[in-house]
Amino acid sequence: MSTAILTGPPVAGSPLEADLRTLGFDVRTANDAATAAELFAAVPAQERVAVVDPRFVGHLHALRLALTDPRFPAAAVPGALTAQPGARAALARAFGRIPVGAGTAHLTDVLTDTLTESLDREETPLHRVELGSLVATVALTPAQREDAREAVAAVDDEAVRLRTAVKSRDGFFTTYCISPYSRYLARWCARRGLTPNQVTTASLLTALIAAGCAATGTRGGFIAAGLLLLFSFVLDCTDGQLARYSLQYSTMGAWLDATFDRAKEYAYYAGLALGAARGGDDVWALALGAMVLMTCRHVVDFSFNEANHDAGGAAANTSPTAALSGKLDSVGWTVWVRRMIVLPIGERWAMIAVLTALTTPRIVFYALLIGCALAACYTTAGRVLRSLTLPRLSPGGPPARRTDRAARALADLADSGPLAELIAGRARGRGRTGSFLAPVMAFLSAAVLLVWVIFQDDPTSWLTVGVAVCSALLAGAAVARPLKGALDWLVPPFFRAGEYVTILVLAARADVPGALPAAYGLVAAVAYHHYDTVYRIRGGTGAPPRWLVRATGGHEGRILVITVLAAALSPSGFTIALTALAVVLALLVLIESIRFWVSSQAPAVHDEGEPA
């Protein structure tokens, strides 16, 4: 239940009370500020409270944005403000500062504005809604009321609501081929009481059915799989649009949306591999390679964004790369070309669906690997060039430095286990923070191991275990100092590539049935753990607990265990060990992740950034 307090001169015939009840508020009235404060104090502490001026004139959607958005502890438009339980204390202090007595009538005539100005001075952030073409005002005279009503009538707030339900920045395929009709599907779902989480789950189930169709290995199955994958993507767009349309944001919803996207895509890869196997074509190595490449791409994105999280906004990157990027973003067609080059989820899934229906799984994976590799080179090269010229706090001012928060996030994304921590502790103080030592050590950590397992005639030997120990030593040296250097965001991607590709190569070199599918399951379980770390950091709740990281061994611990298993066991025994390890890790990370997200008290969020 939520409570709205109407305080101010009543207006006969106003639809305001009906609008507030439509939005789910229990409406109470107060004649003056003192009475409003008493009503506010009587509302249970766990409820949302809104304060609204009866003379408010505006669109219903303007009220909805101001009073029902769960992402903000306090929000306001002219004539209306709200406070969730976390901001109730700040609003109580604002009420306490309302003066009484002679000469103070002007401060309480529009009480909502006075309270809003007072909340602005509080530590609790106040969100002022950007109305755009919507109207929200306090009409003090009949003439002002008439003008405001005419302004309201001139703008269709339902059309605005539908338009703003679409993600503000999206890919070409999504923008022009999906969103023009998926927004109406989102409205249809909202009017039938469906939630974004239900639509997200429907999208997952559709993709899993598509994977099952692909696994049949028949042409009819491949055609059905392509069509169902496209429909799954339509639902994937719809869940976010439904969240924006109905303002049903939640931490759980953001987590489900993000993790299910990865689960859908990687399950579909597995379905294609199973279907190809039915036709006598073993493409498990290609499927695993595609998953490794996609995950490493995402880690590059996440690491770069977290490293620059606190440098955005006021900081201006002065590099030639940034200048060229800004220039290209000012020309319409280049914007879309650049968004398509990075092969975002819309373009990627459309390509996969069409190729599945028309060609073979092997061709699908070849196209996917080539396209994603080119996209990865394009985005990573641009980010490296940007990073070599750090953002400046002001034009001509000193370069911005990586913050402690950014360094902590990169350290969490590195996923270093007990062995790397021990090595880092012994190496601490021997390097200079901000140098290129960390990415160089991380690169060598991955390169030494990969060169050995790829080019050695027999990588399943105890010599490989020794190389894995050397790799762990280099990994510990990489994280021995805070990751505040210009290119330190490359450390987590180097670690991911080293771990995932090592598993792929050792499974492929085992050359026994089932080794690559087992490796696929193991990489999927580990990748889930890494994605979960990202989403926890994004949600402002911090990384997974250290006990979980230590229990999973960290990236260097897992590599060491896998190389020992490869050296100690026969190829068939190695396959069984990979399968068992995949099951244990999956159960461990899934149980902890589900426990955390179900009980999480993190603020509601929703992703409006780059398409994955």
Side-chain angles (χ1 to χ4, degrees), residues 237-577:
C237 295
T238 300
D239 63 4
Q241 292 165 359
L242 174 58
R244 298 180 198 94
Y245 181 85
S246 57
L247 300 182
Q248 296 184 71
Y249 301 108
S250 69
T251 302
M252 173 69 76
W255 171 66
L256 288 177
D257 185 48
T259 54
F260 281 10
D261 278 352
R262 305 287 79 79
K264 288 181 286 189
E265 188 164 2
Y266 298 158
Y268 192 82
Y269 293 174
L272 285 174
L274 288 169
R278 285 179 176 272
D281 189 12
D282 187 354
V283 296
W284 274 106
L286 296 177
L288 181 50
M291 181 167 67
V292 168
L293 180 56
M294 281 305 308
T295 304
C296 290
R297 268 194 68 189
H298 289 142
V299 173
V300 168
D301 296 340
F302 299 147
S303 296
F304 180 79
N305 290 335
E306 287 304 323
N308 294 280
H309 181 275
D310 300 316
N317 195 303
T318 57
S319 69
T321 308
L324 177 61
S325 178
K327 185 176 181 180
L328 291 175
D329 275 341
S330 65
V331 182
W333 67 271
T334 62
V335 173
W336 293 116
V337 169
R338 294 179 70 209
R339 292 188 190 179
M340 294 172 70
I341 286 174
V342 301
L343 208 62
I345 188 170
E347 278 75 359
R348 190 168 69 249
W349 282 26
M351 180 186 74
I352 293 170
V354 171
L355 291 179
T356 298
L358 301 179
T359 64
T360 65
R362 181 172 290 273
I363 293 176
V364 173
F365 285 124
Y366 281 153
L368 188 61
L369 286 166
I370 293 170
C372 288
L374 292 174
C377 290
Y378 169 76
T379 55
T380 305
R383 287 167 176 172
V384 168
L385 291 174
R386 282 171 176 260
S387 299
L388 292 175
T389 301
L390 285 175
R392 296 184 180 274
L393 296 174
S394 61
R401 294 184 60 83
R402 300 281 188 242
T403 63
D404 290 338
R405 179 208 171 278
R408 180 69 260 168
L410 291 179
D412 292 332
L413 291 174
D415 192 33
S416 299
L419 182 57
E421 285 182 337
L422 177 63
I423 297 166
R426 293 183 177 277
R428 190 159 288 125
R430 300 183 184 180
R432 183 169 61 86
T433 299
S435 69
F436 295 126
L437 180 63
V440 169
M441 291 293 102
F443 172 77
L444 291 175
S445 172
V448 165
L449 184 62
L450 294 182
V451 168
W452 178 269
V453 297
I454 291 172
F455 296 105
Q456 182 67 17
D457 290 337
D458 181 18
T460 59
S461 67
W462 289 104
L463 285 175
T464 304
V465 177
V467 175
V469 172
C470 293
S471 175
L473 290 171
L474 291 168
V479 296
R481 299 299 298 269
L483 299 177
K484 295 186 176 182
L487 296 179
D488 284 0
W489 55 271
L490 287 169
V491 170
F494 284 144
F495 287 164
R496 296 297 79 75
E499 179 182 3
Y500 297 160
V501 178
T502 297
I503 297 172
L504 189 161
V505 173
L506 290 177
R509 298 290 290 272
D511 197 25
V512 294
L516 280 168
Y520 191 94
L522 176 58
V523 172
V526 176
Y528 177 87
H529 168 59
H530 292 144
Y531 281 117
D532 187 51
T533 301
V534 169
Y535 303 137
R536 293 196 196 206
I537 294 172
R538 278 186 169 184
T541 57
R546 286 304 302 170
W547 71 260
L548 179 65
V549 177
R550 294 189 178 101
T552 58
H555 68 95
E556 80 290 346
R558 289 188 295 270
I559 289 174
L560 193 57
V561 168
I562 290 165
T563 55
V564 168
L565 292 174
L569 301 174
S570 65
S572 58
F574 180 58
T575 299
I576 295 172

Side-chain angles (χ1 to χ4, degrees), residues 103-161:
T104 62
H106 67 286
L107 294 174
T108 57
D109 184 48
V110 184
L111 180 62
T112 54
D113 289 354
T114 303
L115 291 174
T116 298
E117 292 172 5
S118 183
L119 279 176
D120 260 338
R121 297 190 291 270
E122 290 281 345
E123 292 183 1
T124 300
L126 174 70
H127 173 66
R128 291 183 179 269
V129 178
E130 295 183 8
L131 293 171
S133 59
L134 296 176
V135 176
T137 187
V138 176
L140 301 179
T141 66
Q144 289 177 351
R145 176 169 292 275
E146 186 62 28
D147 290 343
R149 285 175 173 169
E150 291 178 1
V152 169
V155 176
D156 184 351
D157 74 334
E158 179 60 21
V160 172
R161 189 181 179 189

